[in-house]
């Protein structure tokens, strides 16, 4: 934290990312986009999903959630993971499982890792992949977030607030 504060003293833009903004009006921030209305029909099997989309699988809670979903369901699980290259996607899940002493032997079974980003339009997916997922996913576990005890709301908003809105838009896009 001290290192970040020292860096912020030298860079005004960095300071704005670290500090609370007293001009922030949270009631103005708490609005859901009108296109997210939930009017599409619910899937037939919400208690026994066939295809799950999980965000945040490379964090502590997400890894444990993925482990439980793998062990307690028969669903195919697609994990949306922020990555710099596609080859490291599965390695990030495996590494996280190893870090938390979770069983890695069945990671290949039913688990798919795809590159995406909560801060981007269509979750960072191309239109065809987004549409294909929207048609096939029947349960969403949104656990992805930026976690940082120092950064302020404006730095966290793209992943946490806007990312949640993007996940709600995805979840209500087709069914």
């Amino acid at each position: 934290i001290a290192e970040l504060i020292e860096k912020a003293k030298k860079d005004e833009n960095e300071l704005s990312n670290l500090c609370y903004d007293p001009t922030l009006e949270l009631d103005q921030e708490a609005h859901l986009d009108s296109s997210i209305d939930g009017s599409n029909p619910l899937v037939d099997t919400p208690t026994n999903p066939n295809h799950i989309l999980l965000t945040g699988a490379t964090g502590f809670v997400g890894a444990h959630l993925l482990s439980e979903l793998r062990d307690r369901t028969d669903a195919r699980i697609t994990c949306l993971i922020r990555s710099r290259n596609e080859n490291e996607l599965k390695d990030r899940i495996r590494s996280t499982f190893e870090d938390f002493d979770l069983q890695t032997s069945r990671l290949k079974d039913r688990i798919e890792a795809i590159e995406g980003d909560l801060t981007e339009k269509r979750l960072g997916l191309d239109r065809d992949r987004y549409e294909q997922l929207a048609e096939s996913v029947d349960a969403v576990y949104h656990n992805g977030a930026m976690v940082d005890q120092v950064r302020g709301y404006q730095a966290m908003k793209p992943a946490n607030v806007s990312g949640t809105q993007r996940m709600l838009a995805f979840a209500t896009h087709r069914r």
Side-chain angles (χ1 to χ4, degrees), residues 58 79-93 113-117 120:
T58 58
C79 301
L80 184 73
I81 298 175
R82 189 178 51 238
S83 176
R84 288 183 185 81
N85 86 51
E86 202 166 314
N87 294 330
E88 80 173 8
L89 292 173
K90 278 279 194 171
D91 290 339
R92 286 193 61 199
I93 293 175
I114 61 170
E115 188 174 356
D117 191 331
E120 295 180 16

Side-chain angles (χ1 to χ4, degrees), residues 73-168:
T73 74
D74 294 323
R76 188 170 97 232
I77 306 164
T78 299
C79 301
L80 184 73
I81 298 175
R82 189 178 51 238
S83 176
R84 288 183 185 81
N85 86 51
E86 202 166 314
N87 294 330
E88 80 173 8
L89 292 173
K90 278 279 194 171
D91 290 339
R92 286 193 61 199
I93 293 175
R94 178 172 300 287
S95 173
T96 301
F97 267 54
E98 289 169 354
D99 288 348
F100 300 127
D101 294 323
L102 297 169
Q103 183 184 31
T104 60
S105 62
R106 292 183 32 233
L107 279 178
K108 292 181 182 177
D109 299 343
R110 302 180 289 115
I111 298 172
E112 172 191 26
I114 61 170
E115 188 174 356
D117 191 331
L118 296 173
T119 67
E120 295 180 16
K121 181 180 178 181
R122 289 190 311 269
L123 308 173
L125 304 171
D126 66 44
R127 184 175 309 281
D128 290 341
R129 183 63 165 144
Y130 184 88
E131 292 294 334
Q132 181 269 326
L133 276 176
E135 287 289 338
S136 67
V137 165
D138 47 20
V140 174
Y141 286 77
H142 175 48
N143 179 64
M146 180 181 198
V147 179
D148 191 314
Q149 290 76 25
V150 180
R151 305 258 179 233
Y153 176 79
Q154 292 302 334
M156 308 286 267
K157 181 181 177 180
N160 297 354
V161 178
S162 301
T164 298
Q165 287 204 15
R166 286 184 187 90
M167 287 307 300
L168 288 168

